[in-house]
Amino acid sequence: MSTGILLLHGSSGIPDLERARTLAAHGYDVLAPKWFDERVSEIPLESFPLDELAARNDRLAVMGTSFGAEAALLLGTVDDRIDVVVAQAPSAYVWGWIEDGVQTSHWSWRGEPLPFVPFDLDWRPTDDPPSYVDSYRYRLRKYPAEAAAAQIPVEQVKGALVVIAGGDDKVWPSVEFAEQIALRRGSLETRTMIDAQAGHRIVFPGEQPKAGGQTMARGGSEQADRAFGAQIWPDLLRTLAG
C-alpha cells in the first residue's frame, strides 16, 4: 500500500526539500511544492495538488509547518481522502493578511474567503529580533467574535491528526493552539507532541536548521529543536505508515 505525502512549507516560502528527501527514502511519494509567491491572501484550498497524489497512491497524508500547518489542517476538513494530517507549530485559527491595504483571509474555499482573525494595526513588537507570539494572543482577545468564527473545525478531519509544538515558540503560541485543537477533537484520533524547550522550527533527523523568511525570533535552540525532532521521529513514521 503506497502513501503520498503533501509537504507544505511555512511562511518562508522555501519548500522543505531535505524533509522531502528523507521521507522519500522511507518509501513515501512526496510532493513539496512552492505553494505561494508574493500573494498569500485567499489562496484556494482547491489549488493544492492532492488529486495528483491520490491518482497514484492508496493513502494520503498532509504535513505542514506553521503557515503550512494552517493549510494542512484546513485541507483535512474539506478532503475526506486524507488519512493523516501532521501539523507542526499549528494554528487553531485562520488568520488574516493585508492585500493592497485591505485585510482579507489567507484562504478561500469554493470561491468564498474563510472567516479570519484580523490584524491589530496598532500593535508593535518591543524586542529585536521581534517576537510575535503576544500579538496573536492579543488579537484573539481583541476580536473574540471573529476568532470564534475563524476557529479551524478540526473535528471535521476524518483521519488521524498529529500536532507538534514547542513550548518556546516565539512566533505564535503553538502549544496553546495544539491544546485547543486536541480539546476540540475530543475522542477523535489525535496525537499531541509537545516539548517545553523547542521553538517554532523543529529539526528532524537528516535535516539542517531551516533558514530564510522574515527576520523574527522563533525561539528554541538548535540543540533543543534537534532533540525534539529525534525524539518524535519514530512515532511520526509509524503514524504515517498507518
Side-chain angles (χ1 to χ4, degrees), residues 83-96:
D83 298 279
V84 183
V85 173
V86 179
Q88 179 191 319
S91 171
Y93 302 85
V94 171
W95 299 95

Side-chain angles (χ1 to χ4, degrees), residues 29-51:
D29 178 10
V30 186
L31 287 180
K34 181 176 175 61
W35 53 273
F36 71 85
D37 291 310
E38 296 300 321
R39 184 181 178 90
V40 289
S41 63
E42 298 187 17
I43 296 171
L45 294 175
E46 301 94 324
S47 65
F48 290 91
L50 285 169
D51 288 346

Side-chain angles (χ1 to χ4, degrees), residues 36-199:
F36 71 85
D37 291 310
E38 296 300 321
R39 184 181 178 90
V40 289
S41 63
E42 298 187 17
I43 296 171
L45 294 175
E46 301 94 324
S47 65
F48 290 91
L50 285 169
D51 288 346
E52 180 180 346
L53 281 173
R56 59 180 190 247
N57 291 284
D58 305 298
R59 299 174 70 252
L60 289 180
V62 182
M63 296 179 64
T65 297
S66 188
F67 189 15
E70 192 179 329
L73 289 164
L74 288 166
L75 287 170
T77 71
V78 299
D79 196 324
D80 291 346
R81 296 174 298 177
I82 298 172
D83 298 279
V84 183
V85 173
V86 179
Q88 179 191 319
S91 171
Y93 302 85
V94 171
W95 299 95
W97 188 254
I98 299 176
E99 193 74 39
D100 299 326
V102 177
Q103 295 210 41
T104 184
S105 180
H106 272 160
W107 315 102
S108 70
W109 172 241
R110 294 177 175 170
E112 295 295 326
L114 299 187
F116 64 95
V117 184
F119 279 94
D120 174 38
L121 300 180
D122 295 325
W123 186 90
R124 296 290 184 275
T126 58
D127 45 4
D128 186 22
S131 63
Y132 292 95
V133 62
D134 288 336
S135 168
Y136 286 95
R137 292 183 177 123
Y138 179 74
R139 289 161 67 184
L140 292 173
R141 293 194 301 270
K142 184 171 182 178
Y143 304 108
E146 291 87 346
Q151 274 197 296
I152 298 173
V154 292
E155 69 277 6
Q156 295 178 17
V157 176
K158 298 295 192 296
L161 176 57
V162 180
V163 285
I164 303 167
D168 193 42
D169 192 333
K170 301 296 186 186
V171 177
W172 58 24
S174 58
V175 168
E176 295 166 31
F177 292 159
E179 291 170 343
Q180 291 175 34
I181 289 167
L183 182 64
R184 185 158 182 155
R185 290 277 290 173
S187 61
L188 297 171
E189 185 178 356
T190 309
R191 182 76 183 275
T192 303
M193 302 177 176
I194 295 172
D195 181 86
Q197 306 303 317

